[in-house]
Amino acid sequence: MSGTAFLTDSTLCIGCKACEVACKEWNNIPSDGFDWKGFSYDNTGSLGHSTWRHVKFIEGGVVAGLGGNSPDLLSWGFSSDVCKHCENAGCLEACPTGAIVRTEFGGVFIQSDVCNGCAYCVVACPFGVVERNPDAGMAFKCTFCYDRQKEELKPACATACPTESIKFGDIDELRGEAEDRMARLKQAGFNDVYLYNPQDSSVGGIHAFFIVRGDPERYNLPPSPEVPTTYLRKGWVSAAIGAGLMLAGTLFAFGQDK
Amino acid sequence: MNAPKNLLTEETSRRAREHRLAKIRHEAKEHGQVSDFTRLSERDPLSKAELTGYYGTPVLKRPQWTIEIPLYFFVGGVAGAAALIAAVGKLSSADTRLVRQSRWLAAIGGLVSPALLISDLGVPSRFLNMLRVFKIQSPMSVGSWTLVAFSNSAVAAAVLGEFNKRRGGRLVNVLTDGAQIVSVLTGLVLATYTGVLIGATVIPAWNEHVGTLPIHFAASGTAGAATILELMGNESKALNRIAIGAAAVETAMGVSIELSQTPPSESLKSGIGGWAMRGAGVLSGPVPLLLRLLALKSRRSRISLRKAAAISSIAGSLLTRWAWIQAGQVSADDPSVPLQLRRRVSSSGDGMDDHENQKDPR
Ligand code: SF4
Ligand code: SF4
């Protein structure tokens, strides 16, 4: 694996949504309205065609002092989600037009002028990231700020993040940084920190890994994401059996007439 | 950020706290213990997984296909099977009417299918972008190429067949047969690949059944073709046999879906999708099977029994395709499978959702 990556460290995130705003402004994507989730300030809900960075508000138990809340209110954790730019990307494999490509920075990029909106990538992403925009017709997701990276600039979200919760850089360096940070956090008594980077799954690693507190499932991060190409062999074997049955059955049916 | 204006005042917050204490005291007095906790655990406050993941919101995205896609699955399946019936019918010198009608059924299906597929695209004018590349690892790509080859060969076979009848000739004959062979080979793929198309995705209800979906769709398409030809007035015994075989396979498929107990299969058995799937299974499996077996016995009402079976099969085949798509939607909405939450419940056993008892910090 080479190229660039995001390390999103939720222990530093203050839920300000600067990343969401910067992303929307830079990429000129529409707003999502104000449909709040739970008891928190999450109005974008999930990643989608109009949300390429999504700040999650994780509601925790009532703990005095945590997150600066008053003693009878629930505590908060925040984490900014993004396309994982999978090493083995379901969307890229599935795309029949070749609209989805791997960039020289290792990211996964949709060429909007090629996409014909077949929506097959939508059901091929194990993280529910990419989505067809019903108005424009094409599929959209995080571009990894390909345009900015080409000019040697950091992606808009990483540039706007005030706490360096979103770090951007060379993937190998960032991986080392993530390990260091994990060790430091554990030393400081954060025993529940978790580095989400499913390298052992069929996805084969991601270009956007996350440090979260507690179970990754609470952040809707699947424990073992599967790239759907793993089902192809079984599917085509079954198709061959189906076709064989059709052929044999029809030959038999007409053969009886003689 | 635009904060909602429902911040609790000092007073209501104090009252809520006192109320809560009174409730605890009451419960302790009544039952000798308090079971209605509001706190998650003694440990780090964020360490425990909610059984719902992130507010129970889906991890995956719903399939965004419109009604054209299940219709396309049906029409494509019928067309592919019709091409096969035409070729085998010709081979075994069945009546020319059947051969001719099945050729045209394949050709018309070969024209309607791309229309359906194109009208589902977000940018229909870019359909030809499907033919920019060929990707063996993308069933959508394989399917698009197959469909184009099928449409051309099926239409060619039908048109050349007509031409052949009027003024035959060696060349036309060979060309017709050639087109027919191509349409059979591509037709077999067309009738089955749609099972791979939805099976090789992240949707749990689909990929769980990727090993049988193509067979299910093959049977469904075959039944559709044979029964439409019957309704067009063909009484060939071969069609009856084909339909019996297809109905037998569909019965087996229905039973296997009904018996599957895994969490991803749940959406195939509950809700509208589940009932549609069940209805589709009955309409395309046991009902036509029974009617056709009766038809073998009865002389008088043979034809009407076969007609009834045919109508049931067609309805079942259409419903089957729709039910699979519908179940996929429901399956995509359920975060518990991709997050493996059920496994967590069985291993920890004490999860709780305490949203009800918490107050709004906004
Ligand atoms: S997270 Fe989804 S959209 Fe992003 S690269 Fe992976 S498969 Fe594609
Ligand atoms: S919607 Fe566009 S990007 Fe997605 S698979 Fe289809 S052509 Fe490719």
Side-chain angles (χ1 to χ4, degrees):
Chain A
M1 252 167 112
S2 62
T4 52
F6 282 130
L7 164 59
T8 309
D9 184 347
S10 77
T11 63
L12 294 175
C13 182
I14 56 171
C16 68
K17 300 205 207 187
C19 51
E20 274 193 31
V21 174
C23 176
K24 277 191 191 290
E25 280 207 21
W26 181 262
N27 295 298
N28 204 7
I29 40 183
S31 74
D32 301 87
F34 291 98
D35 179 11
W36 310 101
K37 285 267 171 284
F39 295 136
S40 300
Y41 290 107
D42 179 0
N43 65 313
T44 44
S46 64
L47 294 170
H49 67 80
S50 62
T51 308
W52 301 351
R53 266 279 175 195
H54 167 225
V55 179
K56 292 171 181 170
F57 284 62
I58 312 295
E59 294 171 355
V62 183
V63 178
L66 192 98
N69 290 319
S70 67
D72 61 344
L73 296 178
L74 48 87
S75 56
W76 261 339
F78 313 106
S79 181
S80 179
D81 200 7
V82 69
C83 168
K84 315 297 175 291
H85 295 281
C86 310
E87 204 42 34
N88 216 337
C91 62
L92 192 156
E93 299 299 325
C95 176
T97 62
I100 307 187
V101 292
R102 170 99 37 206
T103 71
E104 63 268 40
F105 308 109
V108 175
F109 179 76
I110 307 182
Q111 307 172 81
S112 295
D113 54 336
V114 177
C115 169
N116 68 11
C118 74
Y120 196 43
C121 51
V122 176
V123 287
C125 169
F127 299 99
V129 170
V130 60
E131 192 179 26
R132 177 163 80 184
N133 178 325
D135 300 323
M138 290 91 92
F140 293 97
K141 69 166 195 74
C142 162
T143 65
F144 215 3
C145 275
Y146 181 56
D147 48 348
R148 293 177 58 87
Q149 286 203 54
K150 266 203 141 3
E151 293 177 25
E152 290 175 12
L153 293 167
K154 285 201 282 186
C157 53
T159 310
C161 177
T163 63
E164 284 182 24
S165 168
I166 300 177
K167 293 185 181 66
F168 172 82
D170 177 76
I171 188 161
D172 292 321
E173 280 170 30
L174 270 193
R175 230 188 269 119
E177 215 170 293
E179 299 296 342
D180 292 350
R181 176 75 185 157
M182 286 290 287
R184 288 236 326 268
L185 282 167
K186 283 199 176 138
Q187 218 173 23
F190 289 79
N191 292 317
D192 58 347
V193 283
Y194 184 92
L195 175 60
Y196 184 80
N197 185 14
Q199 266 171 312
D200 299 329
S201 72
S202 58
V203 166
I206 50 186
H207 284 254
F209 23 96
F210 302 83
I211 292 176
V212 294
R213 288 190 66 191
D215 296 319
E217 290 83 355
R218 285 205 63 189
Y219 300 74
N220 262 14
L221 293 170
S224 55
E226 295 280 358
V227 59
T229 44
T230 51
Y231 308 113
L232 280 177
R233 176 181 290 272
K234 215 172 165 194
W236 284 116
V237 166
S238 166
I241 296 172
L245 282 175
M246 280 173 77
L247 193 62
T250 312
L251 282 170
F252 174 80
F254 279 97
Q256 291 295 96
D257 281 343
K258 290 207 176 130
Chain B
M1 199 188 312
N2 212 349
K5 296 184 188 65
N6 56 352
L7 276 171
L8 296 170
T9 64
E10 279 295 306
E11 177 54 22
T12 50
S13 133
R14 196 181 63 85
R15 238 190 294 139
R17 277 204 310 264
E18 292 309 309
H19 178 72
R20 175 73 193 136
L21 291 178
K23 215 174 125 201
I24 292 174
R25 192 182 58 202
H26 177 74
E27 205 191 330
K29 206 169 132 199
E30 287 288 294
H31 308 291
Q33 67 174 57
V34 183
S35 57
D36 176 26
F37 311 118
T38 49
R39 296 198 179 203
L40 283 173
S41 74
E42 303 293 344
R43 299 186 296 141
D44 293 323
L46 298 174
S47 61
K48 193 147 168 126
E50 297 265 332
L51 293 170
T52 49
Y54 185 66
Y55 300 105
T57 51
V59 170
L60 306 169
K61 285 271 175 289
R62 278 182 158 225
Q64 290 182 294
W65 293 324
T66 44
I67 189 74
E68 284 99 330
I69 293 300
L71 269 179
Y72 159 65
F73 288 180
F74 172 77
V75 175
V78 166
L84 177 66
I85 291 173
V88 177
K90 172 100 189 299
L91 204 67
S92 56
S93 48
D95 63 301
T96 46
R97 180 155 167 268
L98 174 61
V99 173
R100 184 163 169 239
Q101 286 189 340
S102 30
R103 268 188 194 146
W104 277 110
L105 183 57
I108 291 167
L111 290 173
V112 173
S113 294
L116 288 169
L117 195 58
I118 290 170
S119 82
D120 173 68
L121 291 180
V123 194
S125 59
R126 291 191 188 161
F127 172 73
L128 286 180
N129 281 4
M130 292 282 192
L131 309 182
R132 266 180 90 236
V133 287
F134 175 75
K135 288 167 77 173
I136 190 80
Q137 75 275 35
S138 165
M140 184 68 93
S141 174
V142 174
S144 304
W145 282 98
T146 305
L147 179 59
V148 169
F150 176 82
S151 300
N152 283 300
S153 55
V155 170
V159 171
L160 286 168
E162 295 299 323
F163 195 65
N164 208 359
K165 228 175 61 185
R166 274 174 211 141
R167 63 175 133 128
R170 220 180 127 65
L171 181 67
V172 185
N173 225 332
V174 171
L175 283 177
T176 315
D177 286 348
Q180 189 73 68
I181 290 170
V182 175
S183 73
V184 170
L185 294 178
T186 51
L188 285 171
V189 181
L190 188 64
T192 51
Y193 96 88
T194 45
V196 189
L197 181 82
I198 67 169
T201 64
V202 293
I203 306 297
W206 293 349
N207 64 41
E208 177 79 3
H209 293 271
V210 66
T212 47
L213 259 168
I215 300 175
H216 196 170
F217 281 8
S220 191
T222 308
T227 54
I228 289 175
L229 287 167
E230 276 186 330
L231 291 179
M232 285 162 82
N234 288 290
E235 285 164 23
S236 136
K237 284 205 182 108
L239 290 182
N240 195 32
R241 290 187 201 110
I242 292 174
I244 289 179
V249 174
E250 298 237 30
T251 309
M253 290 296 155
V255 171
S256 92
I257 289 172
E258 203 56 49
L259 291 183
S260 53
Q261 297 289 345
T262 53
S265 304
E266 231 160 65
S267 45
L268 300 174
K269 299 202 286 181
S270 56
I272 334 175
W275 284 108
M277 190 68 87
R278 227 162 257 146
V282 172
L283 284 174
S284 40
V287 170
L289 199 58
L290 213 72
L291 290 172
R292 281 178 197 280
L293 292 179
L294 281 177
L296 290 181
K297 295 265 175 314
S298 143
R299 288 201 162 269
R300 252 187 317 130
S301 45
R302 192 169 53 88
I303 297 297
S304 49
L305 281 173
R306 271 180 69 177
K307 282 235 159 83
I311 290 169
S312 172
S313 284
I314 292 174
S317 180
L318 271 167
L319 197 56
T320 300
R321 316 307 182 119
W322 184 82
W324 271 107
I325 300 291
Q326 175 63 29
Q329 312 273 8
V330 176
S331 179
D333 281 351
D334 177 7
S336 72
V337 175
L339 294 182
Q340 303 178 355
L341 293 178
R342 258 166 274 218
R343 219 184 50 194
R344 307 181 66 85
V345 181
S346 50
S347 59
S348 73
D350 65 343
M352 52 185 275
D353 185 356
D354 65 346
H355 278 168
E356 256 75 341
N357 302 314
Q358 286 176 343
K359 279 175 231 80
D360 194 332
R362 284 193 291 241

